[in-house]
Amino acid sequence: MRFETRLLHNGNEIDSFTGASSIPIYQSSTYHQFSIDQPGEFDYARSGNPTRKALEQTITRLEGGCRGYAFASGMAAISTVFLLFSRGDHLIVSQDVYGGTYRVLTKVFDRMGIETTFVDTTDLEQVAAAIRPNTRAIYVETPSNPLLKVTDLRGIVRIAKAYRLRTIVDNTFLTPYFQRPLELGADIVVHSATKFISGHSDVVAGLVVVKDEELAEEIGLLQNAFGAILGVYDSWLVLRGLKTLQARMELSTQSAEKVALWLEQHPDVKRVYYTGLPSHEGYHLQNEQASGHGAVLSFDVGSMEKAKRILSRVRLPIVAVSLGAVESILSYPAMMSHAAMPAEVRNRHGITDGLLRLSVGLENADDLIDDLAAALQEKKVTIPAGFGNL
Ligand SMILES: *Cc1c(COP(=O)(O)O)cnc(C)c1O
């Protein structure tokens, strides 16, 4: 069955006890054991819950993995994956990784003796050069945030396999609808399900999918031991959001392409970053490893003054952090996601004071373009007719 059909028919859509068309919210922390000698599948809800299980099995099918796990946030999922590693281990991580991932590695796991080298993973030579005898994994995010740089997943997997390293991919921006890293040879996929997977800006959640039984055992133990599980109601919300993933991704990606093309020809826009534009350096690679370009783009308007003017004038996108929702979201990396980065470092990485990131939602694309056009327009001082004659 094709992906969009599997979103709705994957064996986890009907409650096996009642036939309910939506998996019930099993709001229960513990389970009566009808026989003490033959305990049932569920005993305590940190270890397992039928609603969460339906979500975990659904994401497993969609990513083409062996097993899946749901966590209280994307960061809970990512941090739990890092618990696979021990004191003395070394990791290679994409330089422009999500800010929270950078923070947990440099402020928490670093303290516990897990070392990280941040490299530009779009350059495979840099990745290979960073490998040490104690390197255990390569962690990549592609396309990256906010400049949408594309890392060659097959190339990373080739290096990782040669050195017996694990490959971990943050697949938040594209979702399994457009990109399936496990099929390209990765070992673990992580998600902030807060974004496109749930899609409605109404829940914070994280997911992990692993490719084999050995990793399934390890992550399963960590999920239960550390306990950062996704709550039952939130599991239900993610399951509900996931059903429309294909419809949302298709429409918002079509609109993103239209908006990106329009921005690219606008005289006041210095540069547009979108992998769907042939002018983007990752365009061809993205076409080889993913089936679409997603709904996130960035554009540079040249100065903080202009960026702030646009942020204060747009009427359709909400001005906020986050992405991947039914409503468009406009963010300002310099003062939001990358505020902690010194201005000099930010500028060197292309995250300038004029850079805005747009996550395109389900509004009509022409309405979004009209809104951006009005926001971009310099306010003209209109001189009343005849004024010059006074
Ligand atoms: C938001 C995000 C995260 C963190 O997820 P939370 O659900 O906010 O904890 C991780 N990776 C990427 C790419 C993200 O966009």
Side-chain angles (χ1 to χ4, degrees):
M1 277 190 293
R2 290 161 188 85
F3 190 90
E4 50 268 44
T5 309
R6 271 187 286 136
L7 280 173
L8 301 162
H9 304 277
N10 52 61
N12 302 289
E13 65 274 21
I14 294 169
D15 179 43
S16 52
F17 302 108
T18 62
S21 64
S22 147
I23 295 292
I25 297 167
Y26 283 94
Q27 190 74 51
S28 185
S29 64
T30 190
Y31 307 83
H32 173 66
Q33 301 302 321
F34 290 95
S35 157
I36 203 71
D37 292 319
Q38 286 173 309
E41 178 186 352
F42 300 101
D43 55 10
Y44 185 61
R46 171 162 33 73
S47 319
N49 170 289
T51 317
R52 196 178 86 221
K53 184 184 164 196
L55 169 61
E56 293 176 333
Q57 291 191 344
T58 301
I59 192 65
T60 304
R61 303 267 154 87
L62 298 177
E63 286 285 2
C66 166
R67 267 184 68 185
Y69 304 87
F71 294 89
S73 66
M75 282 321 303
I78 291 165
S79 301
T80 301
V81 167
F82 288 143
L83 291 174
L84 285 169
F85 306 105
S86 308
R87 174 174 295 277
D89 286 352
H90 172 247
L91 311 174
I92 295 169
V93 177
S94 292
Q95 170 182 279
D96 38 10
V97 77
Y98 177 73
T101 307
Y102 179 83
R103 179 170 48 215
V104 82
L105 285 167
T106 55
K107 297 232 167 14
V108 182
F109 287 98
D110 179 63
R111 244 185 327 101
M112 303 185 173
I114 296 166
E115 286 178 287
T116 305
T117 304
F118 295 93
V119 304
D120 179 357
T121 50
T122 65
D123 179 355
L124 295 179
E125 278 175 28
Q126 277 192 42
V127 175
I131 294 173
R132 303 182 196 166
N134 59 338
T135 304
R136 297 283 172 266
I138 307 174
Y139 181 104
V140 301
E141 208 175 295
T142 182
S144 73
N145 179 27
L147 299 179
L148 292 308
K149 286 198 209 157
V150 184
T151 290
D152 177 358
L153 287 174
R154 288 187 185 91
I156 292 288
V157 165
R158 218 179 306 122
I159 296 172
K161 288 214 153 71
Y163 290 88
R164 297 168 170 271
L165 312 178
R166 280 170 172 161
T167 305
I168 307 163
V169 180
D170 183 331
N171 203 25
T172 300
F173 269 47
L174 290 181
T175 82
Y177 179 57
F178 283 138
Q179 177 170 274
R180 287 184 291 282
L182 298 180
E183 290 178 3
L184 302 176
D187 301 294
I188 303 176
V189 167
V190 296
H191 276 287
S192 169
T194 312
K195 317 292 167 56
F196 292 101
I197 295 269
S198 62
H200 293 70
S201 296
D202 54 10
V203 61
V204 172
L207 297 167
V208 173
V209 182
V210 300
K211 69 136 200 242
D212 62 29
E213 270 305 331
E214 188 190 334
L215 276 168
E217 288 278 314
E218 288 183 80
I219 298 287
L221 183 140
L222 288 170
Q223 184 195 40
N224 190 34
F226 200 70
I229 51 155
L230 188 62
V232 59
Y233 187 70
D234 289 348
S235 297
W236 184 85
L237 275 173
V238 178
L239 270 172
R240 181 183 158 103
L242 204 42
K243 292 180 186 183
T244 54
L245 181 69
Q246 183 260 352
R248 289 185 286 105
M249 290 305 280
E250 271 301 318
L251 194 55
S252 57
T253 297
Q254 271 173 35
S255 299
E257 274 165 14
K258 199 165 177 182
V259 171
L261 282 168
W262 178 81
L263 283 168
E264 200 175 40
Q265 56 72 51
H266 195 288
D268 293 339
V269 175
K270 302 257 172 300
R271 199 163 160 187
V272 182
Y273 301 87
Y274 182 62
T275 65
L277 293 175
S279 60
H280 191 281
E281 59 185 6
Y283 173 75
H284 292 290
L285 182 53
Q286 176 84 352
N287 281 331
E288 281 166 28
Q289 65 186 20
S291 57
H293 295 278
V296 181
L297 59 96
S298 294
F299 58 104
D300 198 329
V301 293
S303 71
M304 177 174 283
E305 189 199 345
K306 282 188 185 165
K308 284 190 174 172
R309 199 177 63 215
I310 293 163
L311 288 162
S312 69
R313 283 206 204 151
V314 284
R315 301 170 67 140
L316 290 181
I318 62 167
V319 174
V321 292
S322 201
L323 53 100
V326 287
E327 72 279 359
S328 292
I329 302 178
L330 187 64
S331 337
Y332 187 36
M335 290 179 72
M336 290 175 168
S337 53
H338 293 69
M341 204 181 256
E344 182 261 321
V345 183
R346 257 199 296 111
N347 282 315
R348 190 152 28 88
H349 289 244
I351 305 162
T352 57
D353 287 345
L355 191 76
L356 292 164
R357 186 190 73 197
L358 180 65
S359 167
V360 178
L362 303 183
E363 300 91 347
N364 179 288
D366 292 326
D367 286 339
L368 283 173
I369 287 171
D370 288 348
D371 191 32
L372 286 169
L376 270 157
Q377 190 140 38
E378 301 273 350
K379 261 219 175 82
K380 294 217 174 64
V381 184
T382 42
I383 300 166
F387 190 80
N389 297 333
L390 287 176

